[in-house]
């Protein structure tokens, strides 16, 4: 589990400089439900290029976000923020006081 904010360094294959590629993150959000929708903000800020996507999750199901990797090589730093991240303690009275955000289940590389 992440906490309320995390960073993920995504390696980029050299072939993505010539071919459009996306990293597909499959993740679940702690405490998300129809009664408690949770926003997840993905952001990349690089010199000369920025990208942001906000996803509102309203279930404990695995959801996905596509992160563009095209046009560059090396790596891309992805910032992830969950403004309404909470702890099991605050959510349901558990003794676990850690603030939990998202749990990444898998990351796939898609070439288009």
């Amino acid at each position: 589990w992440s906490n309320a904010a995390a960073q993920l360094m995504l390696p980029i294959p050299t072939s993505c400089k010539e071919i459009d590629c996306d990293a597909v993150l499959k993740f679940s959000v702690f405490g998300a439900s129809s009664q408690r929708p949770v926003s997840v903000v993905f952001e990349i800020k690089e010199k000369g290029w920025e990208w942001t996507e906000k996803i509102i999750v309203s279930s404990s199901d695995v959801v996905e976000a596509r992160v563009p990797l095209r046009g560059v090589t090396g790596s891309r730093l992805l910032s992830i923020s969950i403004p309404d991240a909470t702890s099991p303690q605050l959510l349901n009275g558990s003794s676990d006081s850690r603030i939990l955000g998202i749990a990444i289940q898998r990351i796939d590389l898609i070439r288009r």
Side-chain angles (χ1 to χ4, degrees):
W1 288 101
S2 75
N3 55 21
Q7 291 188 322
L8 181 63
M9 186 65 73
L10 297 171
I12 303 172
T14 55
S15 61
C16 290
K17 187 166 177 113
E18 305 299 324
I19 300 169
D20 284 347
C21 298
D22 290 336
V24 180
L25 280 65
K26 297 185 180 187
F27 62 96
S28 55
V29 180
F30 178 76
S33 68
S34 57
Q35 293 79 34
R36 187 180 180 276
V38 178
S39 297
V40 181
V41 180
F42 298 93
E43 186 174 50
I44 298 172
K45 287 188 176 184
E46 297 175 353
K47 185 177 179 180
W49 189 81
E50 291 186 9
W51 172 84
T52 301
E53 183 168 343
K54 179 180 179 179
I55 297 175
I56 298 173
V57 181
S58 58
S59 77
S60 60
D61 295 340
V62 173
V63 293
E64 67 178 47
R66 287 183 174 250
V67 180
L69 302 178
R70 59 189 160 268
V72 295
T73 57
S75 61
R76 190 157 261 174
L77 182 63
L78 175 66
S79 296
I80 305 167
S81 63
I82 306 91
D84 295 323
T86 190
S87 69
Q89 186 177 57
L90 292 172
L91 190 63
N92 59 27
S94 164
S95 62
D96 187 349
S97 62
R98 295 174 299 150
I99 299 296
L100 303 178
I102 68 169
I104 295 178
Q105 307 296 320
R106 136 184 215 136
I107 301 173
D108 294 317
L109 178 68
I110 303 294
R111 292 181 173 94
R112 295 185 268 146

